[in-house]
Amino acid sequence: GIRGICLLDDINAELDAGNQEVLAGELLRLGCQLFVTSITSPSDEGPWSKLSAGDYRMFHVEHGQFSEQ
């Protein structure tokens, strides 16, 4: 089948911790490509903390400039 792409904007601000875990678990189970904006990194406590460093790439955007972290 064809895998989808999912864009999430700051779920930390919209969902409580339990629902963040549920959403993250379902999306990771689907195996789709994810683009997530957040003010916390995957290494912090939260729904993405179970990811290992090779599972994601993180970018910082400031004043229209992108840099890979």
Side-chain angles (χ1 to χ4, degrees):
I2 298 173
R3 291 185 180 170
I5 297 173
C6 186
L7 309 172
L8 298 173
D9 183 34
D10 201 12
I11 64 167
N12 309 62
E14 305 297 332
L15 300 174
D16 62 32
N19 284 313
Q20 289 176 36
E21 291 287 340
V22 170
L23 177 61
E26 289 299 314
L27 291 170
L28 293 171
R29 185 183 61 77
L30 289 173
C32 61
Q33 186 174 11
L34 298 172
F35 290 86
V36 181
T37 66
S38 181
I39 59 171
T40 60
S41 70
S43 60
D44 295 331
E45 292 294 318
W48 314 110
S49 61
K50 296 175 185 72
L51 294 175
S52 52
D55 291 335
Y56 65 90
R57 291 173 59 192
M58 188 166 48
F59 297 87
H60 178 77
V61 182
E62 186 171 351
H63 303 294
Q65 300 296 314
F66 288 78
S67 60
E68 188 166 3
Q69 302 293 298

